[in-house]
Amino acid sequence: MAAILCENCSGWYHYTQVNQPVDISCMLFLIMLGKVSLNLFILRVKQKNVKISFMGYFCVSLALLDFALLMNIAFIFYFEDFALWGVRFTKYHICLFTQIISLTYGILHYPVYLVAVLDYYVSIAQTSQPPKRGQRLFYIVVVVFLWILGFSCILKVPAISEELEIQKHFSLYQCPSYASMQSYSVSFAMLLLMGMALLSCWKDVVMMLLSVRVISFAGQPVLMFLYSSDDNTCCRRQLLPRLLICFLGTWAPFVLLQIIVLSLGAQIPAYMEMNVPWLYFINSFLIAVVYWCRCHDVELTEETWSTDPFVSWKFCFTPFNNENTEPAEKPGTVIVIC
Protein backbone atom coordinates (compact mmCIF):
# COMPACT_ATOMS: atom_id res chain seq x y z
CA MET A 1 0.00 0.00 0.00
CA ALA A 2 1.34 3.41 -0.95
CA ALA A 3 0.07 6.94 -0.64
CA ILE A 4 0.54 10.16 -2.59
CA LEU A 5 -0.05 13.58 -1.08
CA CYS A 6 -1.30 16.31 -3.34
CA GLU A 7 -0.09 19.21 -1.20
CA ASN A 8 -1.48 21.97 -3.38
CA CYS A 9 -4.88 20.33 -3.80
CA SER A 10 -5.79 19.34 -0.25
CA GLY A 11 -6.35 15.67 -1.07
CA TRP A 12 -4.93 12.33 0.03
CA TYR A 13 -5.04 9.41 -2.37
CA HIS A 14 -4.48 5.75 -1.61
CA TYR A 15 -3.89 3.14 -4.24
CA THR A 16 -3.30 -0.56 -4.37
CA GLN A 17 -1.56 -2.47 -7.13
CA VAL A 18 -3.30 -5.73 -7.86
CA ASN A 19 -2.56 -8.34 -10.50
CA GLN A 20 -5.73 -8.55 -12.54
CA PRO A 21 -6.89 -11.89 -13.97
CA VAL A 22 -8.20 -10.18 -17.11
CA ASP A 23 -7.13 -7.21 -19.19
CA ILE A 24 -7.66 -4.08 -17.08
CA SER A 25 -8.73 -2.16 -20.21
CA CYS A 26 -11.74 -4.42 -20.62
CA MET A 27 -12.68 -4.02 -16.97
CA LEU A 28 -12.40 -0.22 -17.12
CA PHE A 29 -14.55 -0.17 -20.24
CA LEU A 30 -17.30 -2.22 -18.58
CA ILE A 31 -17.17 -0.16 -15.39
CA MET A 32 -17.40 3.14 -17.26
CA LEU A 33 -20.17 1.78 -19.47
CA GLY A 34 -22.20 0.96 -16.37
CA LYS A 35 -21.47 4.34 -14.81
CA VAL A 36 -22.41 6.28 -17.94
CA SER A 37 -25.65 4.29 -18.23
CA LEU A 38 -26.49 5.07 -14.61
CA ASN A 39 -25.71 8.77 -15.11
CA LEU A 40 -27.97 8.98 -18.16
CA PHE A 41 -30.76 7.09 -16.38
CA ILE A 42 -30.72 9.49 -13.40
CA LEU A 43 -30.63 12.55 -15.66
CA ARG A 44 -33.60 11.15 -17.57
CA VAL A 45 -35.84 10.23 -14.61
CA LYS A 46 -35.24 13.38 -12.56
CA GLN A 47 -37.91 16.06 -12.49
CA LYS A 48 -37.55 18.49 -15.36
CA ASN A 49 -39.50 21.45 -13.95
CA VAL A 50 -36.87 22.52 -11.41
CA LYS A 51 -34.97 25.75 -10.99
CA ILE A 52 -31.58 25.91 -12.63
CA SER A 53 -28.72 25.54 -10.18
CA PHE A 54 -24.97 25.12 -10.11
CA MET A 55 -25.25 21.47 -9.07
CA GLY A 56 -27.53 20.69 -12.00
CA TYR A 57 -25.00 22.06 -14.48
CA PHE A 58 -22.12 20.29 -12.76
CA CYS A 59 -23.98 16.95 -12.93
CA VAL A 60 -24.44 17.41 -16.68
CA SER A 61 -20.74 18.25 -17.11
CA LEU A 62 -19.75 15.18 -15.10
CA ALA A 63 -21.96 12.96 -17.28
CA LEU A 64 -20.38 14.45 -20.41
CA LEU A 65 -16.86 13.92 -19.08
CA ASP A 66 -17.63 10.31 -18.14
CA PHE A 67 -19.02 9.73 -21.61
CA ALA A 68 -15.88 11.25 -23.18
CA LEU A 69 -13.69 8.96 -21.06
CA LEU A 70 -15.79 5.95 -22.11
CA MET A 71 -15.39 6.86 -25.78
CA ASN A 72 -11.62 7.25 -25.36
CA ILE A 73 -11.35 3.87 -23.63
CA ALA A 74 -13.47 2.20 -26.33
CA PHE A 75 -11.48 3.80 -29.16
CA ILE A 76 -8.08 2.88 -27.72
CA PHE A 77 -9.29 -0.59 -26.69
CA TYR A 78 -10.50 -1.30 -30.23
CA PHE A 79 -7.48 -0.01 -32.16
CA GLU A 80 -4.97 -0.98 -29.39
CA ASP A 81 -1.92 0.75 -30.88
CA PHE A 82 -2.20 3.77 -33.17
CA ALA A 83 -0.86 7.28 -33.73
CA LEU A 84 -2.97 10.43 -33.79
CA TRP A 85 -1.56 13.90 -34.48
CA GLY A 86 1.93 12.58 -33.95
CA VAL A 87 1.11 10.98 -30.58
CA ARG A 88 1.19 7.21 -30.16
CA PHE A 89 -1.68 5.77 -28.13
CA THR A 90 -1.59 2.33 -26.52
CA LYS A 91 -3.55 0.54 -23.80
CA TYR A 92 -1.28 2.25 -21.31
CA HIS A 93 -3.16 5.49 -22.03
CA ILE A 94 -6.44 3.91 -20.91
CA CYS A 95 -5.01 3.53 -17.42
CA LEU A 96 -3.33 6.95 -17.62
CA PHE A 97 -6.52 8.80 -18.59
CA THR A 98 -8.50 6.96 -15.92
CA GLN A 99 -5.95 7.88 -13.25
CA ILE A 100 -5.97 11.55 -14.25
CA ILE A 101 -9.77 11.57 -14.14
CA SER A 102 -9.73 9.84 -10.74
CA LEU A 103 -7.30 12.33 -9.24
CA THR A 104 -9.27 15.27 -10.64
CA TYR A 105 -12.60 13.94 -9.38
CA GLY A 106 -11.05 13.30 -5.98
CA ILE A 107 -10.03 16.90 -5.32
CA LEU A 108 -13.27 18.51 -6.54
CA HIS A 109 -15.61 17.28 -3.80
CA TYR A 110 -14.96 20.17 -1.40
CA PRO A 111 -15.04 22.97 -4.03
CA VAL A 112 -18.19 21.65 -5.72
CA TYR A 113 -20.13 21.22 -2.48
CA LEU A 114 -18.97 24.61 -1.20
CA VAL A 115 -20.12 26.40 -4.35
CA ALA A 116 -23.41 24.47 -4.33
CA VAL A 117 -24.26 25.32 -0.71
CA LEU A 118 -23.38 28.99 -1.29
CA ASP A 119 -25.57 29.00 -4.38
CA TYR A 120 -28.56 27.63 -2.45
CA TYR A 121 -27.90 29.82 0.59
CA VAL A 122 -28.04 32.96 -1.54
CA SER A 123 -30.85 31.97 -3.90
CA ILE A 124 -33.20 30.17 -1.50
CA ALA A 125 -34.59 33.41 -0.08
CA GLN A 126 -34.54 35.54 -3.23
CA THR A 127 -37.90 37.11 -3.99
CA SER A 128 -36.90 37.94 -7.58
CA GLN A 129 -34.92 35.69 -9.85
CA PRO A 130 -32.11 37.04 -12.07
CA PRO A 131 -32.42 36.59 -15.84
CA LYS A 132 -32.11 32.90 -16.65
CA ARG A 133 -29.73 33.48 -19.57
CA GLY A 134 -27.25 35.33 -17.41
CA GLN A 135 -27.66 32.80 -14.61
CA ARG A 136 -27.00 29.90 -16.97
CA LEU A 137 -23.91 31.61 -18.34
CA PHE A 138 -22.63 32.21 -14.82
CA TYR A 139 -23.08 28.56 -13.84
CA ILE A 140 -21.39 27.35 -17.03
CA VAL A 141 -18.40 29.63 -16.40
CA VAL A 142 -18.08 28.41 -12.80
CA VAL A 143 -18.31 24.75 -13.84
CA VAL A 144 -15.69 25.15 -16.57
CA PHE A 145 -13.44 27.06 -14.18
CA LEU A 146 -13.62 24.28 -11.58
CA TRP A 147 -12.75 21.59 -14.13
CA ILE A 148 -9.83 23.60 -15.48
CA LEU A 149 -8.63 24.28 -11.95
CA GLY A 150 -8.89 20.60 -11.04
CA PHE A 151 -7.02 19.30 -14.08
CA SER A 152 -4.36 22.02 -13.77
CA CYS A 153 -3.84 21.20 -10.12
CA ILE A 154 -3.35 17.49 -10.85
CA LEU A 155 -1.10 17.85 -13.88
CA LYS A 156 1.15 20.48 -12.31
CA VAL A 157 1.87 18.67 -9.04
CA PRO A 158 5.37 17.14 -9.40
CA ALA A 159 4.70 14.17 -7.12
CA ILE A 160 1.65 13.09 -9.10
CA SER A 161 3.29 13.69 -12.47
CA GLU A 162 6.23 11.52 -11.44
CA GLU A 163 3.92 8.78 -10.22
CA LEU A 164 1.96 8.80 -13.47
CA GLU A 165 5.24 8.53 -15.36
CA ILE A 166 6.16 5.44 -13.34
CA GLN A 167 2.98 3.72 -14.50
CA LYS A 168 4.52 3.31 -17.95
CA HIS A 169 6.52 0.40 -16.58
CA PHE A 170 3.44 -1.45 -15.32
CA SER A 171 2.02 -4.35 -17.29
CA LEU A 172 -1.35 -4.22 -18.99
CA TYR A 173 -2.80 -6.13 -16.05
CA GLN A 174 -1.85 -3.53 -13.45
CA CYS A 175 -3.48 -0.15 -12.96
CA PRO A 176 -3.49 1.54 -9.54
CA SER A 177 -6.91 2.77 -8.44
CA TYR A 178 -7.07 5.99 -6.44
CA ALA A 179 -9.58 6.73 -3.67
CA SER A 180 -10.13 10.27 -2.43
CA MET A 181 -10.26 11.05 1.27
CA GLN A 182 -12.45 14.06 0.52
CA SER A 183 -15.38 11.82 -0.35
CA TYR A 184 -14.73 9.70 2.74
CA SER A 185 -14.74 12.73 5.02
CA VAL A 186 -17.91 14.11 3.40
CA SER A 187 -19.71 10.80 3.95
CA PHE A 188 -18.54 10.67 7.55
CA ALA A 189 -19.64 14.26 8.21
CA MET A 190 -23.08 13.64 6.65
CA LEU A 191 -23.70 10.51 8.71
CA LEU A 192 -22.51 12.29 11.84
CA LEU A 193 -24.85 15.25 11.27
CA MET A 194 -27.81 13.00 10.47
CA GLY A 195 -27.09 10.90 13.55
CA MET A 196 -26.98 13.98 15.78
CA ALA A 197 -30.21 15.29 14.21
CA LEU A 198 -31.99 11.98 14.77
CA LEU A 199 -30.84 11.85 18.38
CA SER A 200 -32.13 15.36 19.02
CA CYS A 201 -35.62 14.77 17.58
CA TRP A 202 -36.12 11.01 17.52
CA LYS A 203 -39.36 11.25 19.50
CA ASP A 204 -40.90 13.62 16.95
CA VAL A 205 -39.74 11.38 14.10
CA VAL A 206 -41.29 8.31 15.73
CA MET A 207 -44.57 10.16 16.40
CA MET A 208 -44.77 11.30 12.78
CA LEU A 209 -44.01 7.83 11.44
CA LEU A 210 -46.65 6.27 13.69
CA SER A 211 -49.24 8.74 12.40
CA VAL A 212 -48.46 8.17 8.71
CA ARG A 213 -51.32 7.44 6.33
CA VAL A 214 -51.45 6.86 2.60
CA ILE A 215 -53.98 8.96 0.72
CA SER A 216 -54.60 9.87 -2.89
CA PHE A 217 -53.87 13.42 -3.95
CA ALA A 218 -53.94 14.69 -7.54
CA GLY A 219 -54.15 11.10 -8.71
CA GLN A 220 -50.96 10.08 -6.93
CA PRO A 221 -50.41 8.22 -3.64
CA VAL A 222 -48.86 10.48 -1.00
CA LEU A 223 -47.93 10.10 2.65
CA MET A 224 -49.96 12.11 5.16
CA PHE A 225 -48.54 12.85 8.61
CA LEU A 226 -50.57 14.13 11.55
CA TYR A 227 -48.62 16.15 14.05
CA SER A 228 -49.50 18.53 16.85
CA SER A 229 -48.66 22.16 16.26
CA ASP A 230 -49.05 25.06 18.67
CA ASP A 231 -48.49 27.66 16.01
CA ASN A 232 -47.70 27.95 12.34
CA THR A 233 -44.49 29.93 12.74
CA CYS A 234 -41.26 28.44 11.49
CA CYS A 235 -39.43 26.60 14.24
CA ARG A 236 -36.20 24.78 13.56
CA ARG A 237 -37.05 22.13 16.14
CA GLN A 238 -40.37 21.35 14.43
CA LEU A 239 -38.80 21.56 10.97
CA LEU A 240 -35.92 19.16 11.63
CA PRO A 241 -37.93 15.89 11.85
CA ARG A 242 -39.85 16.77 8.69
CA LEU A 243 -36.64 17.42 6.78
CA LEU A 244 -35.19 14.15 8.04
CA ILE A 245 -38.26 12.15 7.00
CA CYS A 246 -38.39 13.72 3.56
CA PHE A 247 -34.66 13.22 2.99
CA LEU A 248 -34.49 9.65 4.31
CA GLY A 249 -37.73 8.74 2.56
CA THR A 250 -35.97 9.31 -0.75
CA TRP A 251 -32.30 8.57 -0.05
CA ALA A 252 -32.42 5.91 2.70
CA PRO A 253 -30.69 3.30 0.44
CA PHE A 254 -27.81 5.71 -0.15
CA VAL A 255 -27.50 6.41 3.58
CA LEU A 256 -27.40 2.67 4.28
CA LEU A 257 -24.79 2.21 1.57
CA GLN A 258 -22.61 4.92 3.11
CA ILE A 259 -22.85 3.25 6.52
CA ILE A 260 -21.76 -0.07 5.01
CA VAL A 261 -18.87 1.46 3.06
CA LEU A 262 -17.55 3.38 6.06
CA SER A 263 -17.99 0.40 8.39
CA LEU A 264 -16.04 -1.90 6.07
CA GLY A 265 -13.42 0.73 5.31
CA ALA A 266 -13.88 0.05 1.59
CA GLN A 267 -11.96 2.28 -0.79
CA ILE A 268 -13.94 3.04 -3.92
CA PRO A 269 -11.96 4.37 -6.91
CA ALA A 270 -12.53 8.08 -7.37
CA TYR A 271 -13.62 7.72 -11.00
CA MET A 272 -16.51 5.56 -9.77
CA GLU A 273 -17.24 7.40 -6.54
CA MET A 274 -18.16 10.75 -8.07
CA ASN A 275 -21.26 10.05 -10.13
CA VAL A 276 -24.55 11.76 -10.89
CA PRO A 277 -26.66 9.81 -8.31
CA TRP A 278 -24.11 10.59 -5.59
CA LEU A 279 -24.10 14.30 -6.49
CA TYR A 280 -27.90 14.51 -6.35
CA PHE A 281 -27.80 12.70 -3.00
CA ILE A 282 -25.39 15.34 -1.68
CA ASN A 283 -27.51 18.01 -3.37
CA SER A 284 -30.62 17.03 -1.39
CA PHE A 285 -28.64 17.02 1.84
CA LEU A 286 -27.25 20.51 1.16
CA ILE A 287 -30.72 21.83 0.33
CA ALA A 288 -32.07 20.42 3.60
CA VAL A 289 -29.25 22.09 5.54
CA VAL A 290 -29.91 25.44 3.86
CA TYR A 291 -33.68 25.15 4.46
CA TRP A 292 -33.03 24.47 8.13
CA CYS A 293 -30.54 27.34 8.50
CA ARG A 294 -32.71 29.86 6.64
CA CYS A 295 -36.22 28.63 7.48
CA HIS A 296 -37.28 32.12 8.58
CA ASP A 297 -36.21 33.59 5.22
CA VAL A 298 -37.77 30.97 2.93
CA GLU A 299 -40.37 32.44 0.60
CA LEU A 300 -43.45 30.17 0.47
CA THR A 301 -43.78 30.18 -3.32
CA GLU A 302 -44.07 27.35 -5.83
CA GLU A 303 -40.72 28.31 -7.36
CA THR A 304 -39.03 27.82 -3.99
CA TRP A 305 -40.08 24.17 -3.86
CA SER A 306 -38.82 23.34 -7.35
CA THR A 307 -35.18 23.37 -6.23
CA ASP A 308 -34.64 19.64 -5.75
CA PRO A 309 -35.34 17.26 -8.67
CA PHE A 310 -35.84 14.26 -6.36
CA VAL A 311 -37.18 15.42 -2.98
CA SER A 312 -40.30 17.53 -2.41
CA TRP A 313 -39.70 19.87 0.53
CA LYS A 314 -42.89 21.91 0.15
CA PHE A 315 -44.96 20.35 2.90
CA CYS A 316 -42.12 20.53 5.39
CA PHE A 317 -42.93 24.23 5.71
CA THR A 318 -46.60 24.76 4.99
CA PRO A 319 -49.57 22.87 6.45
CA PHE A 320 -51.61 21.14 3.81
CA ASN A 321 -55.34 21.68 3.81
CA ASN A 322 -57.49 20.15 1.14
CA GLU A 323 -61.24 19.81 1.11
CA ASN A 324 -60.99 16.44 -0.63
CA THR A 325 -59.07 14.84 2.24
CA GLU A 326 -60.57 13.67 5.48
CA PRO A 327 -60.25 16.09 8.43
CA ALA A 328 -57.80 15.34 11.20
CA GLU A 329 -59.11 13.03 13.89
CA LYS A 330 -58.00 15.23 16.78
CA PRO A 331 -58.45 18.99 17.10
CA GLY A 332 -55.29 21.03 16.92
CA THR A 333 -53.55 18.72 14.47
CA VAL A 334 -52.14 19.78 11.17
CA ILE A 335 -51.90 17.67 8.04
CA VAL A 336 -48.53 17.57 6.37
CA ILE A 337 -47.79 15.62 3.22
CA CYS A 338 -44.24 14.79 2.19
Side-chain angles (χ1 to χ4, degrees):
M1 178 74 67
I4 299 176
L5 172 61
C6 176
E7 297 179 354
N8 296 329
C9 305
S10 302
W12 279 92
Y13 298 91
H14 299 278
Y15 71 88
T16 305
Q17 300 176 15
V18 181
N19 289 328
Q20 304 291 341
V22 296
D23 192 343
I24 190 64
S25 303
C26 181
M27 292 189 63
L28 289 175
F29 173 77
L30 294 176
I31 291 173
M32 289 305 303
L33 179 62
K35 183 186 178 184
V36 169
S37 301
L38 181 61
N39 289 343
L40 295 178
F41 173 76
I42 294 299
L43 290 176
R44 182 175 180 82
V45 301
K46 73 180 183 68
Q47 297 181 21
K48 301 299 188 297
N49 55 338
V50 295
K51 291 197 305 183
I52 61 175
S53 64
F54 163 78
M55 187 63 84
Y57 277 83
F58 188 83
C59 286
V60 173
S61 70
L62 177 68
L64 292 176
L65 195 58
D66 282 340
F67 181 76
L69 177 61
L70 175 64
M71 291 297 99
N72 285 333
I73 293 176
F75 196 80
I76 298 175
F77 181 75
Y78 180 78
F79 291 99
E80 293 190 356
D81 191 347
F82 64 96
L84 181 64
W85 296 320
V87 180
R88 182 186 176 188
F89 292 91
T90 64
K91 287 188 176 181
Y92 151 75
H93 289 88
I94 293 179
C95 181
L96 177 65
F97 292 155
T98 305
Q99 288 177 339
I100 294 175
I101 289 292
S102 294
L103 294 169
T104 305
Y105 284 3
I107 65 171
L108 286 181
H109 287 276
Y110 290 165
V112 169
Y113 304 153
L114 178 61
V115 174
V117 75
L118 290 177
D119 176 38
Y120 289 130
Y121 191 85
V122 172
S123 63
I124 206 73
Q126 284 183 346
T127 55
S128 60
Q129 295 296 324
K132 288 189 175 181
R133 180 175 298 180
Q135 198 173 10
R136 289 193 182 99
L137 181 61
F138 174 75
Y139 288 144
I140 292 174
V141 170
V142 174
V143 168
V144 172
F145 173 77
L146 284 178
W147 284 120
I148 294 176
L149 185 64
F151 281 111
S152 300
C153 180
I154 291 301
L155 297 177
K156 289 185 178 181
V157 174
I160 294 181
S161 300
E162 293 174 3
E163 183 64 25
L164 293 175
E165 189 70 20
I166 294 175
Q167 308 309 321
K168 290 183 178 180
H169 305 290
F170 285 0
S171 70
L172 295 177
Y173 302 99
Q174 292 179 326
C175 185
S177 58
Y178 296 85
S180 172
M181 291 301 295
Q182 286 192 8
S183 177
Y184 179 90
S185 60
V186 169
S187 297
F188 181 81
M190 286 182 59
L191 293 178
L192 181 63
L193 290 175
M194 281 188 285
M196 294 172 60
L198 283 172
L199 286 176
S200 65
C201 64
W202 67 271
K203 291 183 179 180
D204 295 330
V205 173
V206 172
M207 291 293 292
M208 291 186 67
L209 291 178
L210 291 177
S211 67
V212 66
R213 294 182 182 179
V214 180
I215 65 172
S216 178
F217 174 72
Q220 295 182 352
V222 294
L223 298 179
M224 180 177 70
F225 298 93
L226 303 179
Y227 68 98
S228 298
S229 178
D230 297 330
D231 56 73
N232 292 329
T233 60
C234 176
C235 175
R236 288 192 175 96
R237 183 172 180 82
Q238 292 180 356
L239 180 62
L240 187 57
R242 306 178 212 168
L243 293 174
L244 284 171
I245 290 177
C246 284
F247 177 78
L248 294 177
T250 303
W251 297 109
F254 265 72
V255 175
L256 180 61
L257 178 63
Q258 295 307 307
I259 294 175
I260 295 174
V261 170
L262 293 181
S263 301
L264 297 178
Q267 293 186 359
I268 303 176
Y271 66 88
M272 295 173 55
E273 198 167 33
M274 179 176 277
N275 51 70
V276 172
W278 165 258
L279 288 179
Y280 277 122
F281 168 64
I282 298 291
N283 183 64
S284 296
F285 180 81
L286 296 179
I287 291 175
V289 171
V290 172
Y291 275 149
W292 186 79
C293 292
R294 303 202 64 183
C295 67
H296 296 284
D297 302 321
V298 172
E299 295 291 332
L300 304 182
T301 62
E302 288 299 324
E303 192 170 1
T304 304
W305 316 125
S306 61
T307 304
D308 196 321
F310 287 97
V311 181
S312 176
W313 305 100
K314 176 178 181 180
F315 299 105
C316 290
F317 290 87
T318 56
F320 180 78
N321 294 308
N322 185 43
E323 58 183 6
N324 296 326
T325 61
E326 296 181 359
E329 295 181 354
K330 297 180 180 180
T333 60
V334 181
I335 298 176
V336 173
I337 299 179
C338 295

